[in-house]
Amino acid sequence: MKRKALSKKRKVVSTVASGIVAVLIAATMVAVNILVVDPQNSRMADNFVGRGDYIDNKGVKTADFDLDYYKQDYEGDALVAEQDRIDAEIVEQGTILLKNESNLLPLQAGTSVSLFSANSVPQSGGLMLPGMVPPTDLKTALSNAGFSVNDALWTFYAEGDGSECGLAEGSIGYGDDEDFAINECSLDRVLAGKGVKESLEGTLPIYVFDRVAGEGRDMPRSMYNHAESAEDKVRSYVEPDSTELEILSYLNDNFDNVILLVKANAAIELDWVDQFPNIRSVVVSQRTREQVASVLSGAVNPSGRTVDTYAADAANSPAAQNFGSYQYVDSAGELTKYNYVTYAEGIYVGYRYYETRYEDFVLGQGNAGDFDYASEVVYPFGYGISYTSFDWTDYDVNWEGKKATAHVTVTNTGDVPGRDVVGIYMQSPYTDYDVANRIEKSAVSLIGMGKTPELAPGESTTVSIEIDESQLKSYDSLNTGTYILEPGDYYLTAGINAHEAVNNILAVKGKTVADGMTSNGDAALVSLYNPKISEIDATTYAVDPVTGTSIKNLFDDARGDGEFLSRSDWMGTWPVPDGEPDERHISEWGNEINGTNADGTPASFTRVKKISDEDLAKLDSFDSLNPTDPSSITDTPVYGQKNGLTLIELRGLDFDDPKWDQLLDQLTPEDYQDIITWSGYGTPFLDSVNKPFGLDADTASGLIYGGTGRMYPSPMMLAQTWNDELAYDYGKLIGNESLVGGANGWYAPAMNIHRTPFSGRNGEYYSEDAWLSGVVGSKSALGASEKGMYTFIKHFAINEQENHRGDRAGQFGLATWSNEQAIREIYLMPFEMSIKAGDVKVDYVAQGEDGTLSQANTTVRASQAVMTAFNRLGFTWTGGHYPLITELLRDEWGFNGFIITDNANTGVFMDAYQMIESGADAKLTALRESARYEFDKDNPAEYKYGRDAMHRVLYTMAHSNAMNGAMPGSVFVEAFKTTDMIRLGVNIGGSLILLLLVGFTVRRFWPNKAVQTQEVSA
């Protein structure tokens, strides 16, 4: 058959179409290759889609052994049911009822409600990954709970004119920029919405108050850069702006009953609620879905408690006096590249300040001034009410040696079932010795807690809480340089919150409301303990109870040159900002209003102070503070030995077993380079010792990959449950999910302190209290580790500020200054509690000297991994700080696990040699060019420190769930990656299509001989 000649027009159209298709295919090929070839993208993509690596067991007799060292507790529907249970219980037990006048809540079925605020509807954005549960919006949740939801108002915010309103995203690009605009719809705009005003009649308003922050930026102390009006510019982000107040005023004036639903992951200011008496109920819940609707309906009785003090003015705390954007200037007065923060409040963070100054005011001591607790604190630490009431009786503390158990009987005296929380608080004597040596003592400190099961009306239970004398010790940094126990009476009280705990103790001291107390305490809930010593004991707690290592000052260099707040003289030692406003530089990081512009209007400037050339050089250096001279190290490097060992063969062996040296001798210089500099989101496969790839997953609210993709309520909300058993169950569930998705490590739990409500990552951290943070974090880590995960407890340490933390361009690590008592008693305590959380069982197949194999087990510490921080402790980066990492973490606490940096892809100051010289192990980098380090295989010091790092990483991996299914003789096989298959498929397929398109185009314009012949004949 002769082909017909195409018209010139059709040829052109076909060719253009082919060209467009070719361009699209070529662009797809380029995009896929860029995304997949880029090491960071390819590693993350492989983590999400699965790596395909496997274990070859053809050469071993697996039938004789149980190689499922870590077993799932739940599979299929049972796993989903457990996920749903944990999710629901965190919300139900973590939702806090702060106010409920006239018993407005729970609402009657069928109540018609109007949801006010743009923050009541889901905000656009957010990545949905496989396994993630699509969130139920608040309207649907309330409707399902039996309420009628005002559709006109909801439609206005969700789809109408109000959809343009709502909070800006806060931190942008992990801190590259910020946008904290509140952007609430004005009252006029709301009421002008289609059918809105008429729809409000006969409804009960629920105002949803929310705030956001995020990694890399803290909440603004002033809205100078984000608000439009002059009155709003001077407000902070944690208080309502004029638009929000206008709406709240309208609701108060036009409705008899209003509910305030607070979503923020921060102890926002709520003193303004008193301006609106018709706001009768206040509920805090960071997850506004089905369970919150159940709380409002009464199907669930909330039992959450505050984990922070809700201050009337967050800017008035001693910690807030030094928080934000502070920058060093050089001798010429020019800005340097370094920022700093001074923890001048010492130990007086959160309730430790408010409750201690309150007690001193009542007792008439410490130059407490005219301190008015009621005007300073809206809701104390540990506060939360219920739909029922409880009575506590039969309190006692039984001591056996240095350990004790506190008991209290809790009875539900109300009409509905509910759960209660018991806190045990202690007060140690504040002596002349303390005053002379600047040892600070909080009026109360939380040292124990217990949560009741759900109690029916009239039902009682006895809550038993174990405590230890070691919890009564104090750190003496200026004299003995260690922990001490002082003679005298120690008060132990059961408190429904921190404030009532102080009142109980004051009652024992004979004080009443006549002495300035906010309410009379209950002396029956106080027990006295006396260690029966006649002088200060600087011996018993001067050694670590696990390692026997002497405890001594390690952080004198981080004390700085400032003074710290003391309860011996509140007024005289009150912190002032450690820097002066620099009127040349408007703060781009949300500083407080601290000056005026040229036109006299209030302004927010960067605060600065001068740094000496000598100290500036310390910031510029990569000194780890390791006292060993590198030139004195004479280790002979050994690489590539053929000892025939594989990593699985060392599972179950002690850390100092001689076989580890044989295994380490097999490593190559390339292995050192890869592990030390390229361990972000997973540690590389090592052929020399047959180490599998170790998959390390983010985030603190669930495994975003390497699990099922299920995300849970924030860690702050988990802490609000005050339920250590639930924290353990959550960690155990994460461990179960890792067995489904293949994660070995978890970049969590995160346990930095809520130093102020302004911290951008308070939602990821637990509390202002160190002990509560330690309990929730350690229990979560323990649960996950029982399923073979190594949990990177983070961010180690003293990392309570996002601004200038150090991971974005132009940032070089925030220099953090504090004293040793505060560092140890507040900021390190959660980490120490996690490191010492206990041991977990490790099953393995042991290989005898004669080659015989047998099933065996041993134990390792539950916490096997730590993530360091971006900030500096003093002048020195925490990830390369020898006293912090080697002297404290490794020597004093006995930690021999895996230490990784925080994200080092952009942290140019995070030096790999400084890191390993300090005793840490690997950089969290997924980009090879981010290594900024080439391992020198011939340098004895680099070899020694690198070998130590490799030992710790391999030991951690060997005792993790990465070994599930393997035994001596098994071979881990690194498969052809899914991303490589995608890239190869796209390249081959795309190339074939391009060739076909070229062929068709050539053929289209190739002369048709048959047609030409016919034309000539004609």
Side-chain angles (χ1 to χ4, degrees):
M1 180 181 290
K2 296 178 182 177
R3 62 185 175 92
K4 297 180 180 180
L6 294 172
S7 69
K8 182 177 293 184
K9 182 177 180 180
R10 288 182 63 192
K11 288 181 180 181
V12 171
V13 171
S14 298
T15 301
V16 170
S18 297
I20 293 172
V21 172
V23 169
L24 291 174
I25 291 172
T28 300
M29 293 170 65
V30 170
V32 168
N33 278 274
I34 290 174
L35 289 172
V36 174
V37 170
D38 184 293
Q40 181 175 12
N41 293 330
S42 63
R43 178 170 286 181
M44 291 298 288
D46 285 327
N47 289 349
F48 275 106
V49 302
R51 302 184 59 83
D53 297 353
Y54 63 94
I55 301 171
D56 182 354
N57 277 330
K58 292 195 295 289
V60 293
K61 296 181 179 180
T62 59
D64 297 335
F65 304 99
D66 182 1
L67 303 185
D68 289 330
Y69 306 127
Y70 307 98
K71 295 177 174 61
Q72 288 180 236
D73 299 304
Y74 325 96
E75 296 182 6
D77 292 343
L79 175 59
V80 174
E82 180 65 4
Q83 290 175 317
D84 290 344
R85 180 186 78 84
I86 294 296
D87 193 291
E89 288 203 17
I90 292 174
V91 180
E92 291 171 0
Q93 296 191 44
T95 294
I96 309 169
L97 182 62
L98 292 178
K99 180 180 180 179
N100 197 29
E101 287 185 358
S102 305
N103 292 320
L104 174 61
L105 292 175
L107 299 175
Q108 293 183 352
T111 299
S112 181
V113 299
S114 292
L115 296 172
F116 276 86
S117 172
N119 303 310
S120 64
V121 302
Q123 299 300 303
S124 61
L127 180 65
M128 285 300 297
L129 298 168
M132 290 186 177
V133 178
T136 300
D137 61 51
L138 186 56
K139 178 189 177 186
T140 302
L142 290 170
S143 298
N144 291 342
F147 300 112
S148 174
V149 180
N150 182 337
D151 188 65
L153 183 58
W154 176 269
T155 301
F156 167 79
Y157 285 122
E159 302 171 10
D161 191 33
S163 63
E164 299 177 357
C165 303
L167 297 173
E169 62 186 290
S171 178
I172 299 173
Y174 296 94
D176 284 332
D177 201 351
E178 67 178 35
D179 185 356
F180 286 97
I182 293 174
N183 194 32
E184 183 58 272
C185 285
S186 68
L187 178 63
D188 289 344
R189 190 172 176 183
V190 174
L191 297 180
K194 184 178 180 181
V196 169
K197 192 169 185 178
E198 298 78 8
S199 71
L200 299 177
E201 186 175 350
T203 68
L204 188 152
I206 300 175
Y207 189 87
V208 180
F209 189 81
D210 195 10
R211 290 295 184 261
V212 299
E215 192 168 348
R217 291 278 175 152
D218 297 308
M219 296 185 185
R221 276 71 61 210
S222 76
M223 295 294 287
Y224 183 80
N225 296 318
H226 304 289
E228 297 294 331
S229 68
E231 63 176 324
D232 286 335
K233 283 180 178 290
V234 300
R235 289 189 166 104
S236 80
Y237 187 63
V238 298
E239 61 182 309
D241 72 358
S242 58
T243 301
E244 292 171 313
L245 289 170
E246 181 186 28
I247 296 173
L248 289 162
S249 181
Y250 170 83
L251 298 180
N252 181 73
D253 294 344
N254 291 276
F255 298 87
D256 293 334
N257 298 302
V258 180
I259 296 171
L260 179 69
L261 179 57
V262 179
K263 287 176 62 178
N265 277 306
I268 61 170
E269 295 174 9
L270 292 173
D271 60 312
W272 50 269
V273 173
D274 285 344
Q275 301 174 30
F276 308 113
N278 287 338
I279 297 180
R280 303 191 184 278
S281 296
V282 179
V283 178
V284 174
S285 185
Q286 292 87 348
R287 178 74 75 84
T288 52
R289 299 182 190 173
E290 294 91 339
Q291 291 77 31
V292 170
S294 297
V295 166
L296 298 182
S297 72
V300 169
N301 190 346
S303 60
R305 300 292 185 266
T306 60
V307 293
D308 298 321
T309 303
Y310 279 68
D313 186 346
N316 281 348
S317 77
Q321 307 315 302
N322 286 279
F323 187 95
S325 187
Y326 289 69
Q327 196 161 354
Y328 287 118
V329 293
D330 61 22
S331 56
E334 297 300 318
L335 292 176
T336 70
K337 61 185 181 183
Y338 297 110
N339 298 89
Y340 67 96
V341 61
T342 303
Y343 290 18
E345 72 279 3
I347 72 163
Y348 297 112
V349 177
Y351 75 86
R352 283 176 167 78
Y353 162 64
Y354 294 104
E355 305 304 339
T356 307
R357 190 162 181 179
Y358 164 73
E359 182 186 51
D360 285 347
F361 170 78
V362 172
L363 295 176
Q365 63 188 26
N367 192 20
D370 57 354
F371 183 78
D372 180 9
Y373 185 90
S375 66
E376 292 280 348
V377 175
V378 181
Y379 298 108
F381 172 82
Y383 184 86
I385 57 177
S386 171
Y387 294 150
T388 190
S389 56
F390 299 95
D391 186 37
W392 293 3
T393 57
D394 305 323
Y395 174 69
D396 65 64
V397 180
N398 297 321
W399 286 89
E400 293 186 8
K402 295 183 182 299
K403 296 183 181 298
T405 303
H407 306 278
V408 63
T409 299
V410 180
T411 303
N412 183 346
T413 57
D415 300 324
V416 296
R419 304 175 63 131
D420 201 9
V421 173
V422 176
I424 301 297
Y425 297 83
M426 79 87 178
Q427 181 184 109
S428 59
Y430 185 54
T431 68
D432 291 341
Y433 177 87
D434 297 331
V435 174
N437 291 282
R438 301 303 296 270
I439 301 170
E440 298 304 323
K441 303 284 186 67
S442 177
V444 287
S445 298
L446 181 69
I447 61 170
M449 69 178 185
K451 192 161 193 174
T452 71
E454 185 171 80
L455 300 177
E459 185 179 3
S460 298
T461 190
T462 297
V463 176
S464 299
I465 300 170
E466 295 182 355
I467 55 180
D468 191 283
E469 187 190 74
S470 64
Q471 294 177 276
L472 312 182
K473 67 184 185 295
S474 301
Y475 198 85
D476 174 11
S477 64
L478 296 185
N479 188 26
T480 63
T482 193
Y483 285 107
I484 63 171
L485 187 71
E486 296 189 70
D489 288 335
Y490 291 74
Y491 296 86
L492 301 172
T493 181
I496 60 175
N497 56 61
H499 189 57
E500 291 308 311
V502 177
N503 281 339
N504 293 343
I505 294 171
L506 286 170
V508 175
K509 296 180 179 181
K511 300 300 179 180
T512 68
V513 291
D515 299 295
M517 289 175 61
T518 56
S519 64
N520 291 326
D522 187 348
L525 294 176
V526 181
S527 174
L528 291 180
Y529 172 73
N530 193 303
K532 297 180 180 178
I533 53 178
S534 58
E535 58 186 23
I536 290 173
D537 178 359
T539 303
T540 301
Y541 300 109
V543 294
D544 187 273
V546 175
T547 65
T549 301
S550 295
I551 298 172
K552 60 184 180 181
N553 282 9
L554 296 174
F555 309 114
D556 287 340
D557 288 346
R559 188 178 180 91
D561 55 6
E563 290 298 317
F564 295 91
L565 181 62
S566 175
R567 70 179 294 187
S568 65
D569 184 5
W570 290 108
M571 300 286 285
T573 60
W574 183 255
V576 296
D578 189 17
E580 298 299 323
D582 184 345
E583 295 184 359
R584 300 171 301 172
H585 300 99
I586 291 291
S587 172
E588 297 178 357
W589 297 79
N591 265 5
E592 75 285 358
I593 297 298
N594 53 30
T596 56
N597 284 318
D599 60 3
T601 59
S604 173
F605 299 109
T606 298
R607 287 188 178 272
V608 300
K609 78 171 180 178
K610 190 166 290 187
I611 187 172
S612 68
D613 292 342
E614 178 184 2
D615 287 344
L616 186 57
K618 292 177 183 177
L619 288 169
D620 286 334
S621 82
F622 296 101
D623 182 6
S624 71
L625 307 181
N626 185 331
T628 302
D629 183 350
S631 65
S632 68
I633 298 173
T634 58
D635 294 39
T636 301
V638 178
Y639 305 105
Q641 297 296 297
K642 306 299 182 183
N643 295 328
L645 289 174
T646 59
L647 184 59
I648 183 58
E649 296 176 62
L650 277 73
R651 179 177 172 87
L653 299 188
D654 291 340
F655 184 80
D656 56 0
D657 190 285
K659 276 194 175 181
W660 282 105
D661 278 328
Q662 298 176 45
L663 185 82
L664 294 170
D665 286 345
Q666 296 177 199
L667 296 170
T668 68
E670 292 74 22
D671 294 337
Y672 282 73
Q673 179 72 24
D674 281 354
I675 293 293
I676 292 171
T677 67
W678 195 38
S679 287
Y681 312 104
T683 51
F685 183 95
L686 300 182
D687 186 63
S688 63
V689 294
N690 197 230
K691 173 206 169 295
F693 180 86
L695 177 58
D696 300 335
D698 243 345
T699 63
S701 295
L703 303 177
I704 196 169
Y705 53 82
T708 65
R710 182 75 176 257
M711 292 289 108
Y712 298 92
S714 71
M716 181 178 176
M717 194 166 201
L718 175 61
Q720 287 170 191
T721 69
W722 282 60
N723 188 331
D724 60 338
E725 293 178 359
L726 185 56
Y728 168 79
D729 287 348
Y730 169 66
K732 189 176 180 180
L733 176 59
I734 294 295
N736 273 272
E737 292 183 359
S738 76
L739 298 177
V740 174
N744 312 123
W746 182 28
Y747 290 160
M751 52 191 65
N752 297 104
I753 298 298
H754 296 179
R755 183 171 168 254
T756 77
F758 298 110
S759 175
R761 292 179 87 173
N762 276 354
E764 189 175 343
Y765 306 144
Y766 298 119
S767 171
E768 70 185 22
D769 182 69
W771 187 86
L772 180 60
S773 299
V775 168
V776 180
S778 64
K779 289 292 186 179
S780 299
L782 177 63
S785 67
E786 288 183 354
K787 296 302 174 182
M789 296 195 84
Y790 45 93
T791 58
F792 289 93
I793 57 177
K794 64 181 185 181
H795 303 90
F796 192 68
I798 308 96
N799 175 211
E800 282 66 44
Q801 182 171 307
E802 290 299 289
N803 284 355
H804 304 297
R805 63 181 186 164
D807 75 323
R808 312 316 289 170
Q811 299 297 308
F812 294 86
L814 183 72
T816 309
W817 304 95
S818 187
N819 64 56
E820 186 113 11
Q821 184 186 7
I823 289 171
R824 284 184 176 269
E825 293 185 8
I826 307 295
Y827 301 104
L828 292 178
M829 180 186 285
F831 294 96
E832 183 175 8
M833 291 174 66
S834 296
I835 294 296
K836 298 175 180 178
D839 295 338
V840 293
K841 182 182 176 184
V842 174
D843 292 308
Y844 66 103
V845 175
Q847 187 171 29
E849 292 296 330
D850 59 357
T852 58
L853 301 175
S854 61
Q855 199 87 41
N857 64 73
T858 185
T859 60
V860 297
R861 278 191 169 184
S863 287
Q864 283 291 302
V866 170
M867 180 186 290
T868 56
F870 290 113
N871 67 297
R872 299 166 182 265
L873 185 50
F875 298 112
T876 308
W877 167 48
T878 55
H881 195 292
Y882 182 86
L884 180 68
I885 293 172
T886 291
E887 293 187 276
L888 178 84
L889 183 55
R890 297 211 182 278
D891 294 345
E892 186 178 315
W893 296 351
F895 179 74
N896 57 17
F898 179 7
I899 302 177
I900 198 168
T901 69
D902 205 333
N903 173 31
N905 287 313
T906 54
V908 297
F909 62 95
M910 301 163 83
D911 182 69
Y913 176 73
Q914 179 186 350
M915 173 189 72
I916 59 174
E917 185 182 58
S918 73
D921 305 316
K923 295 180 72 173
L924 200 163
T925 50
L927 301 170
R928 287 198 180 274
E929 59 267 29
S930 296
R932 291 180 285 274
Y933 169 75
E934 190 69 35
F935 176 70
D936 185 348
K937 64 182 181 64
D938 299 317
N939 183 300
E942 293 196 34
Y943 169 73
K944 171 194 163 23
Y945 295 127
R947 184 181 175 96
D948 290 343
M950 298 297 285
H951 184 183
R952 294 183 290 255
V953 173
L954 293 174
Y955 177 80
T956 301
M957 284 292 299
H959 294 90
S960 76
N961 60 21
M963 299 293 120
N964 242 16
M967 59 181 286
S970 298
V971 178
F972 289 94
V973 180
E974 188 175 28
F976 194 65
K977 300 293 176 291
T978 304
T979 51
D980 288 334
M981 288 190 284
I982 293 171
R983 180 169 56 87
L984 188 61
V986 169
N987 286 343
I988 293 175
S991 298
L992 288 174
I993 295 173
L994 287 174
L995 286 173
L996 286 172
L997 289 172
V998 170
F1000 285 139
T1001 301
V1002 171
R1003 189 178 181 211
R1004 194 177 298 123
F1005 288 96
W1006 194 261
N1008 187 325
K1009 292 183 179 181
V1011 174
Q1012 288 180 338
T1013 301
Q1014 292 175 10
E1015 290 174 349
V1016 170
S1017 299

